Amino acid sequence: AQSVTQPDIHITVSEGASLELRCNYSYGATPYLFWYVQSPGQGLQLLLKYFSGDTLVQGIKGFEAEFKRSQSSFNLRKPSVHWSDAAEYFCAVGGNEKLTFGTGTRLTIIP
Amino acid sequence: KAGVTQTPRYLIKTRGQQVTLSCSPISGHRSVSWYQQTPGQGLQFLFEYFSETQRNKGNFPGRFSGRQFSNSRSEMNVSTLELGDSALYLCASRPTGHPMNTEAFFGQGTRLTVV
């Protein structure tokens, strides 16, 4: 069975500081991995995805993520956060026509 | 290009009633998936349709059902509503082909409140 763990429920960072959101997955084969962002009352927007190839993937809004097979991780990073990055972030693993999501990490930005 | 459209955006129903939610995928997309999002359970997969056929189903009771029409629009129905069905229901569409190597585009969701 596939599963995703996001160990941090809530993270607070200062505007301009760097960010890393953690994601660990369990999947029996080569995983398809995704990071989505959700603003309050909105749907999900894809930030980036990993299917194969280069393990460092670039996404929108200045985000990147690194796939580490040995650690079963796909952590999301951003060098300098902006107040508009405040939202909930979901890591997901794909397979068998469905996405399995983590429980999400709520990001708060302080001035 | 229009995005995924879900209607209605908000809905209030009474326990025991039934409800139908609608999803219009992006033009040309043939795969539609439904997810339930609640504070307690997070995002959970309901079912996925491709070319009018249900290809996969999540672990939900039979009260939850869906269908897809020839124009790829999809509906999901929940019968005999319970308080615990209150949630944000999200629809996602994909173009075609292998489901996982194409991006899923999500709608804004339908917020269902059961009272």
PDB file of all heavy atoms in Angstrom, chain A residues 9 88 90 101-104 106, chain B residues 36-44 60 84 86-88 111:
ATOM      1  N   ILE A   9       3.137  19.348  11.226  1.00  0.00           N
ATOM      2  CA  ILE A   9       1.764  19.801  11.017  1.00  0.00           C
ATOM      3  C   ILE A   9       1.738  21.296  10.714  1.00  0.00           C
ATOM      4  O   ILE A   9       0.980  21.769   9.875  1.00  0.00           O
ATOM      5  CB  ILE A   9       0.912  19.494  12.261  1.00  0.00           C
ATOM      6  CG1 ILE A   9       0.821  17.983  12.455  1.00  0.00           C
ATOM      7  CG2 ILE A   9      -0.488  20.104  12.140  1.00  0.00           C
ATOM      8  CD1 ILE A   9       0.141  17.581  13.747  1.00  0.00           C
ATOM      9  N   GLU A  88      -1.357  25.854   2.889  1.00  0.00           N
ATOM     10  CA  GLU A  88      -1.148  24.470   3.321  1.00  0.00           C
ATOM     11  C   GLU A  88      -0.517  23.710   2.157  1.00  0.00           C
ATOM     12  O   GLU A  88      -0.926  23.870   1.004  1.00  0.00           O
ATOM     13  CB  GLU A  88      -2.462  23.820   3.740  1.00  0.00           C
ATOM     14  CG  GLU A  88      -2.283  22.448   4.358  1.00  0.00           C
ATOM     15  CD  GLU A  88      -3.179  22.239   5.579  1.00  0.00           C
ATOM     16  OE1 GLU A  88      -4.196  22.934   5.693  1.00  0.00           O
ATOM     17  OE2 GLU A  88      -2.845  21.348   6.405  1.00  0.00           O
ATOM     18  N   PHE A  90       0.780  20.030   0.547  1.00  0.00           N
ATOM     19  CA  PHE A  90       0.526  18.596   0.560  1.00  0.00           C
ATOM     20  C   PHE A  90       1.512  17.872  -0.354  1.00  0.00           C
ATOM     21  O   PHE A  90       1.681  18.251  -1.508  1.00  0.00           O
ATOM     22  CB  PHE A  90      -0.901  18.293   0.079  1.00  0.00           C
ATOM     23  CG  PHE A  90      -1.977  18.787   0.994  1.00  0.00           C
ATOM     24  CD1 PHE A  90      -2.527  20.047   0.812  1.00  0.00           C
ATOM     25  CD2 PHE A  90      -2.429  17.994   2.042  1.00  0.00           C
ATOM     26  CE1 PHE A  90      -3.526  20.513   1.663  1.00  0.00           C
ATOM     27  CE2 PHE A  90      -3.423  18.458   2.889  1.00  0.00           C
ATOM     28  CZ  PHE A  90      -3.962  19.712   2.698  1.00  0.00           C
ATOM     29  N   PHE A 101      -2.345  11.314  -0.438  1.00  0.00           N
ATOM     30  CA  PHE A 101      -1.818  12.556   0.101  1.00  0.00           C
ATOM     31  C   PHE A 101      -1.330  12.378   1.534  1.00  0.00           C
ATOM     32  O   PHE A 101      -1.854  11.570   2.300  1.00  0.00           O
ATOM     33  CB  PHE A 101      -2.900  13.638   0.103  1.00  0.00           C
ATOM     34  CG  PHE A 101      -3.249  14.161  -1.260  1.00  0.00           C
ATOM     35  CD1 PHE A 101      -4.219  13.542  -2.023  1.00  0.00           C
ATOM     36  CD2 PHE A 101      -2.618  15.271  -1.764  1.00  0.00           C
ATOM     37  CE1 PHE A 101      -4.557  14.022  -3.283  1.00  0.00           C
ATOM     38  CE2 PHE A 101      -2.937  15.778  -3.023  1.00  0.00           C
ATOM     39  CZ  PHE A 101      -3.909  15.143  -3.783  1.00  0.00           C
ATOM     40  N   GLY A 102      -0.356  13.213   1.885  1.00  0.00           N
ATOM     41  CA  GLY A 102      -0.016  13.358   3.284  1.00  0.00           C
ATOM     42  C   GLY A 102      -1.051  14.238   3.973  1.00  0.00           C
ATOM     43  O   GLY A 102      -1.963  14.769   3.333  1.00  0.00           O
ATOM     44  N   THR A 103      -0.885  14.396   5.275  1.00  0.00           N
ATOM     45  CA  THR A 103      -1.860  15.159   6.058  1.00  0.00           C
ATOM     46  C   THR A 103      -1.675  16.656   5.949  1.00  0.00           C
ATOM     47  O   THR A 103      -2.482  17.421   6.457  1.00  0.00           O
ATOM     48  CB  THR A 103      -1.796  14.752   7.531  1.00  0.00           C
ATOM     49  OG1 THR A 103      -0.425  14.795   7.949  1.00  0.00           O
ATOM     50  CG2 THR A 103      -2.337  13.344   7.729  1.00  0.00           C
ATOM     51  N   GLY A 104      -0.611  17.064   5.279  1.00  0.00           N
ATOM     52  CA  GLY A 104      -0.418  18.483   5.023  1.00  0.00           C
ATOM     53  C   GLY A 104       0.441  19.172   6.073  1.00  0.00           C
ATOM     54  O   GLY A 104       0.505  18.753   7.235  1.00  0.00           O
ATOM     55  N   ARG A 106       0.881  23.136   7.420  1.00  0.00           N
ATOM     56  CA  ARG A 106       0.418  24.524   7.333  1.00  0.00           C
ATOM     57  C   ARG A 106       1.607  25.448   7.541  1.00  0.00           C
ATOM     58  O   ARG A 106       2.341  25.331   8.518  1.00  0.00           O
ATOM     59  CB  ARG A 106      -0.641  24.812   8.388  1.00  0.00           C
ATOM     60  CG  ARG A 106      -1.199  26.241   8.316  1.00  0.00           C
ATOM     61  CD  ARG A 106      -2.267  26.457   9.340  1.00  0.00           C
ATOM     62  NE  ARG A 106      -3.361  25.507   9.181  1.00  0.00           N
ATOM     63  CZ  ARG A 106      -4.345  25.368  10.051  1.00  0.00           C
ATOM     64  NH1 ARG A 106      -4.372  26.113  11.156  1.00  0.00           N
ATOM     65  NH2 ARG A 106      -5.296  24.502   9.841  1.00  0.00           N
TER      66      ARG A 106
ATOM     67  N   GLN B  36     -12.266  13.522  -1.139  1.00  0.00           N
ATOM     68  CA  GLN B  36     -12.928  14.133   0.001  1.00  0.00           C
ATOM     69  C   GLN B  36     -11.867  14.703   0.921  1.00  0.00           C
ATOM     70  O   GLN B  36     -10.891  14.028   1.238  1.00  0.00           O
ATOM     71  CB  GLN B  36     -13.762  13.100   0.754  1.00  0.00           C
ATOM     72  CG  GLN B  36     -14.509  13.667   1.955  1.00  0.00           C
ATOM     73  CD  GLN B  36     -14.991  12.582   2.901  1.00  0.00           C
ATOM     74  OE1 GLN B  36     -14.197  11.883   3.513  1.00  0.00           O
ATOM     75  NE2 GLN B  36     -16.302  12.453   3.038  1.00  0.00           N
ATOM     76  N   GLN B  37     -12.054  15.925   1.354  1.00  0.00           N
ATOM     77  CA  GLN B  37     -11.098  16.549   2.273  1.00  0.00           C
ATOM     78  C   GLN B  37     -11.807  16.970   3.552  1.00  0.00           C
ATOM     79  O   GLN B  37     -12.748  17.774   3.526  1.00  0.00           O
ATOM     80  CB  GLN B  37     -10.425  17.765   1.639  1.00  0.00           C
ATOM     81  CG  GLN B  37      -9.338  18.379   2.518  1.00  0.00           C
ATOM     82  CD  GLN B  37      -8.616  19.540   1.859  1.00  0.00           C
ATOM     83  OE1 GLN B  37      -9.143  20.201   0.974  1.00  0.00           O
ATOM     84  NE2 GLN B  37      -7.383  19.770   2.268  1.00  0.00           N
ATOM     85  N   THR B  38     -11.361  16.414   4.667  1.00  0.00           N
ATOM     86  CA  THR B  38     -11.886  16.777   5.980  1.00  0.00           C
ATOM     87  C   THR B  38     -10.730  17.076   6.920  1.00  0.00           C
ATOM     88  O   THR B  38      -9.619  16.578   6.719  1.00  0.00           O
ATOM     89  CB  THR B  38     -12.720  15.633   6.586  1.00  0.00           C
ATOM     90  OG1 THR B  38     -11.873  14.466   6.717  1.00  0.00           O
ATOM     91  CG2 THR B  38     -13.913  15.286   5.720  1.00  0.00           C
ATOM     92  N   PRO B  39     -10.974  17.884   7.964  1.00  0.00           N
ATOM     93  CA  PRO B  39      -9.888  18.176   8.912  1.00  0.00           C
ATOM     94  C   PRO B  39      -9.347  16.917   9.589  1.00  0.00           C
ATOM     95  O   PRO B  39      -8.160  16.816   9.847  1.00  0.00           O
ATOM     96  CB  PRO B  39     -10.550  19.116   9.917  1.00  0.00           C
ATOM     97  CG  PRO B  39     -11.690  19.728   9.168  1.00  0.00           C
ATOM     98  CD  PRO B  39     -12.180  18.657   8.243  1.00  0.00           C
ATOM     99  N   GLY B  40     -10.207  15.958   9.842  1.00  0.00           N
ATOM    100  CA  GLY B  40      -9.775  14.774  10.566  1.00  0.00           C
ATOM    101  C   GLY B  40      -9.076  13.727   9.710  1.00  0.00           C
ATOM    102  O   GLY B  40      -8.091  13.130  10.130  1.00  0.00           O
ATOM    103  N   GLN B  41      -9.563  13.511   8.502  1.00  0.00           N
ATOM    104  CA  GLN B  41      -9.048  12.449   7.644  1.00  0.00           C
ATOM    105  C   GLN B  41      -8.169  12.955   6.514  1.00  0.00           C
ATOM    106  O   GLN B  41      -7.553  12.160   5.800  1.00  0.00           O
ATOM    107  CB  GLN B  41     -10.211  11.639   7.047  1.00  0.00           C
ATOM    108  CG  GLN B  41     -11.087  10.961   8.075  1.00  0.00           C
ATOM    109  CD  GLN B  41     -10.329   9.937   8.873  1.00  0.00           C
ATOM    110  OE1 GLN B  41      -9.567   9.142   8.331  1.00  0.00           O
ATOM    111  NE2 GLN B  41     -10.508   9.951  10.191  1.00  0.00           N
ATOM    112  N   GLY B  42      -8.115  14.260   6.316  1.00  0.00           N
ATOM    113  CA  GLY B  42      -7.308  14.794   5.235  1.00  0.00           C
ATOM    114  C   GLY B  42      -7.943  14.537   3.879  1.00  0.00           C
ATOM    115  O   GLY B  42      -9.163  14.457   3.759  1.00  0.00           O
ATOM    116  N   LEU B  43      -7.096  14.391   2.884  1.00  0.00           N
ATOM    117  CA  LEU B  43      -7.552  14.159   1.510  1.00  0.00           C
ATOM    118  C   LEU B  43      -7.614  12.668   1.229  1.00  0.00           C
ATOM    119  O   LEU B  43      -6.612  11.974   1.307  1.00  0.00           O
ATOM    120  CB  LEU B  43      -6.575  14.808   0.524  1.00  0.00           C
ATOM    121  CG  LEU B  43      -6.718  16.308   0.332  1.00  0.00           C
ATOM    122  CD1 LEU B  43      -5.393  16.928  -0.041  1.00  0.00           C
ATOM    123  CD2 LEU B  43      -7.761  16.590  -0.749  1.00  0.00           C
ATOM    124  N   GLN B  44      -8.805  12.220   0.885  1.00  0.00           N
ATOM    125  CA  GLN B  44      -8.970  10.798   0.626  1.00  0.00           C
ATOM    126  C   GLN B  44      -9.598  10.579  -0.743  1.00  0.00           C
ATOM    127  O   GLN B  44     -10.561  11.258  -1.117  1.00  0.00           O
ATOM    128  CB  GLN B  44      -9.851  10.171   1.708  1.00  0.00           C
ATOM    129  CG  GLN B  44      -9.197  10.148   3.084  1.00  0.00           C
ATOM    130  CD  GLN B  44     -10.006   9.324   4.060  1.00  0.00           C
ATOM    131  OE1 GLN B  44     -11.087   9.734   4.477  1.00  0.00           O
ATOM    132  NE2 GLN B  44      -9.507   8.151   4.404  1.00  0.00           N
ATOM    133  N   PHE B  60     -14.734   3.859   0.579  1.00  0.00           N
ATOM    134  CA  PHE B  60     -15.902   4.593   1.048  1.00  0.00           C
ATOM    135  C   PHE B  60     -17.126   3.691   0.932  1.00  0.00           C
ATOM    136  O   PHE B  60     -17.180   2.798   0.087  1.00  0.00           O
ATOM    137  CB  PHE B  60     -16.108   5.865   0.214  1.00  0.00           C
ATOM    138  CG  PHE B  60     -15.238   7.016   0.637  1.00  0.00           C
ATOM    139  CD1 PHE B  60     -13.919   7.095   0.230  1.00  0.00           C
ATOM    140  CD2 PHE B  60     -15.736   8.005   1.470  1.00  0.00           C
ATOM    141  CE1 PHE B  60     -13.104   8.139   0.633  1.00  0.00           C
ATOM    142  CE2 PHE B  60     -14.941   9.059   1.871  1.00  0.00           C
ATOM    143  CZ  PHE B  60     -13.619   9.128   1.459  1.00  0.00           C
ATOM    144  N   GLY B  84     -20.994  13.268   9.262  1.00  0.00           N
ATOM    145  CA  GLY B  84     -19.591  13.056   8.923  1.00  0.00           C
ATOM    146  C   GLY B  84     -19.273  13.227   7.447  1.00  0.00           C
ATOM    147  O   GLY B  84     -18.095  13.212   7.061  1.00  0.00           O
ATOM    148  N   SER B  86     -19.850  15.917   5.916  1.00  0.00           N
ATOM    149  CA  SER B  86     -19.490  17.327   5.736  1.00  0.00           C
ATOM    150  C   SER B  86     -18.013  17.414   5.372  1.00  0.00           C
ATOM    151  O   SER B  86     -17.148  16.906   6.109  1.00  0.00           O
ATOM    152  CB  SER B  86     -19.747  18.103   7.028  1.00  0.00           C
ATOM    153  OG  SER B  86     -21.120  18.141   7.325  1.00  0.00           O
ATOM    154  N   ALA B  87     -17.723  18.035   4.269  1.00  0.00           N
ATOM    155  CA  ALA B  87     -16.353  18.039   3.756  1.00  0.00           C
ATOM    156  C   ALA B  87     -16.262  18.941   2.547  1.00  0.00           C
ATOM    157  O   ALA B  87     -17.268  19.419   2.019  1.00  0.00           O
ATOM    158  CB  ALA B  87     -15.919  16.623   3.357  1.00  0.00           C
ATOM    159  N   LEU B  88     -15.014  19.136   2.113  1.00  0.00           N
ATOM    160  CA  LEU B  88     -14.754  19.763   0.823  1.00  0.00           C
ATOM    161  C   LEU B  88     -14.523  18.630  -0.168  1.00  0.00           C
ATOM    162  O   LEU B  88     -13.664  17.770   0.047  1.00  0.00           O
ATOM    163  CB  LEU B  88     -13.512  20.656   0.904  1.00  0.00           C
ATOM    164  CG  LEU B  88     -13.112  21.393  -0.380  1.00  0.00           C
ATOM    165  CD1 LEU B  88     -14.169  22.445  -0.753  1.00  0.00           C
ATOM    166  CD2 LEU B  88     -11.747  22.062  -0.220  1.00  0.00           C
ATOM    167  N   ARG B 111     -18.059  22.747  -1.112  1.00  0.00           N
ATOM    168  CA  ARG B 111     -18.117  22.641   0.355  1.00  0.00           C
ATOM    169  C   ARG B 111     -19.505  22.166   0.744  1.00  0.00           C
ATOM    170  O   ARG B 111     -20.474  22.893   0.594  1.00  0.00           O
ATOM    171  CB  ARG B 111     -17.812  23.998   0.982  1.00  0.00           C
ATOM    172  CG  ARG B 111     -18.038  24.066   2.480  1.00  0.00           C
ATOM    173  CD  ARG B 111     -16.983  23.328   3.251  1.00  0.00           C
ATOM    174  NE  ARG B 111     -15.654  23.907   3.070  1.00  0.00           N
ATOM    175  CZ  ARG B 111     -14.553  23.381   3.589  1.00  0.00           C
ATOM    176  NH1 ARG B 111     -14.619  22.273   4.301  1.00  0.00           N
ATOM    177  NH2 ARG B 111     -13.401  23.953   3.401  1.00  0.00           N
TER     178      ARG B 111
END
